[in-house]
Amino acid sequence: MGRLEGRTVDPAALEMLKRAEEQGLETAWDRCRAQEPLCGFGNLGVCCRICLQGPCRIDPFGEGATRGICGAQDYSIVARNLIRSIAGGTAAHSDHGRHVALTLLAHLDGQAPDYRIADPAKAEAVARRIGLNPAGKTPQEITREVTLAALRDFSRLEEEPCTWVTSTVTPGMTEKFEECAIMPSNINGAIAEVMHRSTMGVDADPVNLIFGGLKSALADYAGCHLSTDLTDILFGTPRPVRSYANLGVIDPAKVNITVHGHIPLLSEIVVDVAREMEDEARAAGAAGINVVGICCTANEVLMRKGIPLATNFIAQELAIMTGAVDAIIVDLQCIMPALKTLCECFHTRLITTIPFSKIPGAYHVDFREEKAKESARRIVKLAIEAYRERDPARVHVPQVKNEVVAGFSLEAMLEVFASVNREKPIRALVDAIEEGEIRGIALFAGCTNTKARHDEGHLTIARELARNDVFIVATGCAAGAMAKAGYMTSGAVKEFAGPGLTRFLERLGKASGFDGGLPLAFHMGSCVDNSRPVDLAVLIAKEMGSDVADIPFVATAPEAMHEKAVSIGAWAVTLGFPTHVGVIPPVYGSSLVTEVVTKIAEDVFGGYFILETDPMKAAEKLIEALNYRNWRRKYSTASLDEAMVAE
Amino acid sequence: MKEVFVRLARCVGCRQCEISCALVHSESRDIHQAVWERPLPRQRVRVTREGSEYYPLRCFHCEDAPCIGACITGAMHLDEDVGTVACDTTRCVGCWMCVMVCPYGSIRIHEGQKVALKCDRCPDEDEPACVRGCPTRALLVKERALVV
Ligand code: SF4
Ligand code: SF4
Ligand code: SF4
Ligand code: SF4
């Protein structure tokens, strides 16, 4: 395998990596090499920078310091660092949700006229779920009540549990969280508590610290879930949609605008405005305007508007290197500051839009709810202006793109299931599990990371699981990897699915008359939309009369990178999912903490981490986890039957 | 002959050289696996501090090495081929004479095996691991004559 081939399995990315090298353009992979070897202490989680006496490091080989200056042991240091990154993830997801909530409120107050309540039915459904009575109220009134309830999950002073936790899990799970004292009552409070208890001289008990982290993780879950709900109300609940993915979606004939980041508040409007400004683009000599996406903003606009996905996280620079991107509009999270230097090598305008997410030297168009369209127009204008400066000689777009079927919100998925069971759509899936037609379900989530070969983990594990009849759902950059590789098509079913999964998908596809057949992997949205697969799991658990910890449902983040992935991983384990991570998180510096997250967690929550960097071995372990749950379920139903016979 | 040199002003005391040294002397050579190995891998370089200056202390492979002279069994010897001072641990009896005479304190005691432990200048590597691991390039391999 060549050096560049070792970096990615995505043919479009590889083509651009070769071009980058020819042109002397730097990428994350080059910077990664300059960082090698990565700091051993940091990699193991045994470096503490929490107080000004430090930094203290524990010698992982046991010869030097075994404690920090304050006396903190390896396990306290590792646990404190770990939960601080959970708090970082929680802050990111929940702040995203809070922004959507505030935009909705502004709209309801008449201050954000460019928005509308796109899905009043969702507002009503959420209202019912959280125990509000929507009868006789206008969509505006219902939305206001729901939004205020969501904001209360951030600000509640009483020790009442977060609504978005209790209303979305099983009673058994709620009880477990209360029992373990990890039920958050207020998202901001949970983050503050982690920061406090992990500061110098507070909590030194690793298990206690981890439980504090799990409380924050559940707050993260609440933040994700309310974000999905409110975004659906504001922009519509996704429905199946066809589009394309990979760098080939960049169209050299058009003005190309890339939307990148996570929060679609502005990107949604940019998509609309771009459609209105086609004439201006034509006047500049272009064939029109082409909006494409990167990271989760891409997933959001793909799910709701069918906007093509250019690439996922680690390849973001490669999109700019095509020389055909006229503007890249970024909001927040996962935006490499490196984009600035790179854009300077081209005509590309880098435009930041969020007041607290700026990059020196970039254009900044302040996003204001009250003037969303105006901001969007300014951005599209900048892109058209840049298009005039584009150097055609430097344009190189890899001719690689694959079809993708996306838009599988839980609602959309249940509609498909309803074609075989009108009364209880979820039975379609539960029956297939109980009859052994499918082995279980796997959620693919998370990022891409220079520590792994780009997309290889996602695709290898997906192929292996599909071959073993596992129903696949995906979110975030994991979904991006599958979309780019053509795994979100019915063609992939023929290529990779085992006999049971093929039968199941074909039967459902036929019954629902799904245009073009159902895909191998179901795109459920962005990273915050990991709430959707949880809803799916909870629905299955309820139908099977159990909790998520009992059903054959696993999660995997083969190339996790962000703190958000740490917090999602933590709540996935807490909710009961066996959760694979393909990049070793900084916990190995403490055998105790490693033991807790990979083994002891299972005794308490049913979920646990599987840390495995080899994708084939990871697939094996995930299948084993599914087999074990199926075996246990059968065994417990069998003993139940026996007990009944004995009576 | 090649030597490892230290550019004192560049050493920030991060101890990466220690980690790299231990890793190169581990079974797996992977940080995430090495911490689970038993016995734990041992490093031969130690970062010390004097006032505001850090110093990565490792064997100088002295031309006229006192440790060789002090060694009663002949375990400590000059490896003529590569020009390093090496310890043949099969002959080391753990009397620690070398430890006492080394003017730099470069020899360490291998607790488990009761033998002298010192820098072997990574004979199997293109570049000593500590040099490769140093993020500030405080450690350099150069021909001795060129630098002095
Ligand atoms: S909190 Fe303790 S371990 Fe951390 S830097 Fe301060 S003294 Fe060192
Ligand atoms: S790695 Fe380099 S900078 Fe760090 S302690 Fe060793 S010699 Fe000093
Ligand atoms: S161990 Fe000490 S005395 Fe022996 S060669 Fe190395 S620096 Fe010189
Ligand atoms: S040269 Fe090799 S053995 Fe010597 S200190 Fe450096 S890494 Fe350790």
Side-chain angles (χ1 to χ4, degrees):
Chain A
M1 196 194 306
R3 190 169 49 82
L4 296 180
E5 282 81 1
R7 292 178 172 179
T8 182
V9 296
D10 173 350
L14 179 62
E15 188 176 327
M16 289 315 295
L17 280 176
K18 288 186 180 146
R19 191 162 164 89
E21 204 137 274
E22 282 159 26
Q23 304 208 334
L25 295 169
E26 182 196 80
T27 64
W29 286 275
D30 302 317
R31 293 189 296 274
C32 172
R33 211 165 43 169
Q35 282 296 334
E36 287 292 345
L38 297 175
C39 171
F41 300 100
N43 229 331
L44 295 170
V46 287
C47 168
C48 179
R49 294 178 297 119
I50 284 168
C51 92
L52 305 186
Q53 297 185 97
C56 296
R57 288 148 303 168
I58 306 301
D59 183 343
F61 302 119
E63 279 188 271
T66 54
R67 292 152 158 255
I69 295 168
C70 64
Q73 306 255 20
D74 55 3
Y75 49 64
S76 312
I77 294 179
V78 170
R80 291 194 302 211
N81 289 339
L82 179 66
I83 73 171
R84 282 196 167 205
S85 72
I86 295 177
T90 309
H93 282 139
S94 62
D95 213 33
H96 171 162
R98 201 175 52 87
H99 268 255
V100 180
L102 292 178
T103 303
L104 261 177
L105 270 194
H107 168 69
L108 293 169
D109 291 340
Q111 283 155 14
D114 301 333
Y115 294 90
R116 65 195 185 94
I117 293 172
D119 196 345
K122 178 94 184 201
E124 215 179 300
V126 176
R128 282 221 175 78
R129 195 190 65 217
I130 62 174
L132 300 173
N133 180 9
K137 291 175 192 153
T138 66
Q140 280 70 21
E141 285 165 343
I142 301 170
T143 304
R144 181 182 296 276
E145 283 186 23
V146 167
T147 310
L148 289 176
L151 287 170
R152 260 197 303 284
D153 266 3
F154 287 89
S155 57
R156 182 180 293 106
L157 294 177
E158 311 79 43
E159 286 292 316
E160 298 286 319
C162 275
T163 308
W164 258 264
V165 178
T166 50
S167 68
T168 60
V169 300
T170 65
M173 289 155 81
T174 297
E175 207 177 295
K176 168 75 73 189
F177 304 154
E178 301 267 15
E179 201 180 284
C180 295
I182 57 167
M183 178 66 89
S185 59
N186 153 349
I187 296 169
N188 293 348
I191 299 169
E193 191 180 294
V194 165
M195 296 311 281
H196 178 193
R197 73 192 301 160
S198 62
T199 198
M200 194 271 150
V202 187
D203 203 353
D205 177 337
V207 176
N208 209 34
L209 280 161
I210 290 171
F211 273 65
L214 298 185
K215 186 170 174 182
S216 175
L218 286 178
D220 180 278
Y221 165 68
C224 286
H225 206 304
L226 65 86
S227 179
T228 301
D229 289 341
L230 298 181
T231 310
D232 281 356
I233 295 171
L234 187 58
F235 295 124
T237 303
R239 310 189 33 78
V241 58
R242 272 174 201 284
S243 188
Y244 286 90
N246 219 338
L247 290 173
V249 302
I250 295 170
D251 184 350
K254 292 186 176 171
V255 172
N256 289 297
I257 301 178
T258 305
V259 293
H260 175 20
H262 284 76
I263 194 165
L265 290 176
L266 188 54
S267 317
E268 279 272 342
I269 309 281
V270 167
V271 173
D272 296 340
V273 165
R275 281 175 190 154
E276 292 164 14
M277 290 173 72
E278 293 267 344
D279 282 342
E280 283 179 48
R282 276 191 279 269
I289 301 177
N290 180 37
V291 182
V292 300
I294 298 178
C295 279
C296 278
T297 296
N299 289 323
E300 299 274 359
V301 289
L302 166 64
M303 292 284 282
R304 295 198 181 82
K305 294 211 141 92
I307 294 298
L309 179 143
T311 194
N312 54 2
F313 168 73
I314 200 65
Q316 56 186 268
E317 294 165 285
L318 306 182
I320 308 291
M321 287 178 193
T322 61
V325 172
D326 303 296
I328 174 162
I329 309 156
V330 300
D331 46 75
L332 34 80
Q333 299 164 17
C334 304
I335 299 146
M336 293 190 192
L339 289 180
K340 180 61 199 109
T341 345
L342 185 61
C343 285
E344 268 163 13
C345 301
F346 291 89
H347 69 297
T348 312
R349 305 288 195 266
L350 172 63
I351 306 163
T352 56
T353 55
I354 306 281
F356 63 82
S357 174
K358 295 186 179 179
I359 299 172
Y363 290 76
H364 185 78
V365 175
D366 227 2
F367 161 69
R368 299 244 175 79
E369 300 77 6
E370 65 276 16
K371 292 184 179 152
K373 275 208 160 167
E374 201 184 302
S375 309
R377 254 184 233 113
R378 270 181 65 200
I379 288 169
V380 178
K381 268 205 164 57
L382 276 171
I384 297 174
E385 195 182 286
Y387 170 81
R388 294 177 196 269
E389 290 168 28
R390 192 198 285 175
D391 177 359
R394 296 198 67 196
V395 172
H396 178 97
V397 179
Q399 290 311 303
V400 182
K401 64 176 178 185
N402 274 300
E403 220 193 312
V404 45
V405 187
F408 289 99
S409 56
L410 180 64
E411 290 84 341
M413 208 180 266
L414 290 178
E415 243 172 70
V416 173
F417 294 162
S419 65
V420 293
N421 193 326
R422 234 349 82 227
E423 280 83 65
K424 263 200 179 158
I426 196 65
R427 277 300 331 166
L429 200 53
V430 173
D431 288 343
I433 295 172
E434 287 180 345
E435 281 152 23
E437 187 173 40
I438 61 172
R439 196 182 295 261
I441 301 155
L443 161 64
F444 283 69
C447 336
T448 49
N449 183 328
T450 43
K451 279 187 176 154
R453 190 175 175 208
H454 175 217
D455 287 352
E456 182 179 50
H458 298 294
L459 302 183
T460 309
I461 301 175
R463 281 193 305 270
E464 281 306 297
L465 295 194
R467 199 165 63 77
N468 282 280
D469 296 323
V470 178
F471 181 78
I472 296 173
V473 298
T475 59
C477 282
M482 295 203 202
K484 285 187 298 160
Y487 285 22
M488 290 172 158
T489 59
S490 58
V493 177
K494 294 193 187 72
E495 207 171 332
F496 303 118
L501 182 62
T502 306
R503 244 191 344 267
F504 175 71
L505 291 175
E506 279 178 358
R507 187 172 64 245
L508 272 182
K510 227 176 254 147
S512 60
F514 197 91
D515 181 26
L518 290 170
L520 180 73
F522 286 67
H523 197 320
M524 294 197 87
S526 62
C527 295
V528 291
D529 288 339
N530 275 312
S531 56
R532 299 189 204 273
V534 173
D535 287 348
L536 176 66
V538 168
L539 207 55
I540 295 170
K542 283 186 173 159
E543 183 56 30
M544 292 180 130
S546 53
D547 290 330
V548 172
D550 305 309
I551 63 169
F553 202 139
V554 293
T556 168
E559 301 172 31
M561 173 277 302
H562 206 275
E563 282 178 325
K564 294 177 291 171
V566 181
S567 54
I568 291 180
W571 60 246
V573 164
T574 315
L575 296 179
F577 297 93
T579 303
H580 163 247
V581 182
V583 172
I584 306 294
V587 296
Y588 274 13
S590 157
S591 48
L592 191 145
V593 173
T594 306
E595 207 49 25
V596 169
V597 300
T598 57
K599 297 204 177 85
I600 298 167
E602 188 179 12
D603 302 335
V604 186
F605 301 109
Y608 55 94
F609 279 109
I610 300 166
L611 306 179
E612 177 55 66
T613 52
D614 179 328
M616 287 302 278
K617 283 190 197 144
E620 244 168 67
K621 291 179 183 176
L622 287 165
I623 291 168
E624 240 169 66
L626 290 171
N627 288 348
Y628 172 67
R629 291 220 170 158
N630 283 326
W631 171 81
R632 202 177 54 185
R633 185 173 42 77
K634 269 193 206 119
Y635 179 75
S636 58
T637 4
S639 50
L640 203 71
D641 288 344
E642 267 171 39
M644 276 152 81
V645 169
E647 267 185 33
Chain B
M1 198 181 46
K2 292 228 161 137
E3 263 304 346
V4 175
F5 289 90
V6 184
R7 294 190 279 183
L8 265 190
R10 285 180 170 239
C11 178
V12 295
C14 68
R15 299 173 53 204
Q16 269 311 306
C17 50
E18 289 185 10
I19 296 257
S20 304
C21 181
L23 274 183
V24 86
H25 294 95
S26 72
E27 288 286 325
S28 61
R29 300 194 166 199
D30 175 315
I31 187 84
H32 291 124
Q33 290 175 44
V35 288
W36 305 101
E37 285 172 21
R38 294 298 176 271
L40 279 165
R42 295 272 157 247
Q43 75 240 23
R44 279 88 169 138
V45 51
R46 193 95 198 133
V47 181
T48 55
R49 189 175 75 141
E50 192 56 53
S52 59
E53 283 198 343
Y54 294 94
Y55 192 83
L57 191 66
R58 45 188 292 296
C59 171
F60 289 92
H61 302 279
C62 308
E63 228 158 72
D64 186 13
C67 59
I68 296 180
C71 182
I72 49 168
T73 66
M76 201 64 82
H77 64 282
L78 179 73
D79 187 329
E80 308 263 1
D81 299 344
V82 278
T84 56
V85 173
C87 178
D88 176 355
T89 49
T90 59
R91 296 168 73 181
C92 177
V93 294
C95 68
W96 313 137
M97 285 305 289
C98 57
V99 176
M100 297 212 277
V101 299
C102 173
Y104 309 103
S106 300
I107 304 182
R108 328 201 42 225
I109 293 171
H110 193 303
E111 296 286 357
Q113 291 165 21
K114 294 270 178 283
V115 291
L117 193 69
K118 64 181 288 300
C119 166
D120 53 12
R121 224 198 280 133
C122 302
D124 307 327
E125 303 296 300
D126 297 339
E127 196 179 32
C130 53
V131 174
R132 198 159 12 102
C134 177
T136 62
R137 300 310 255 157
L139 297 171
L140 277 184
V141 204
K142 281 264 150 68
E143 283 297 334
R144 190 180 287 190
L146 287 179
V147 179
V148 186

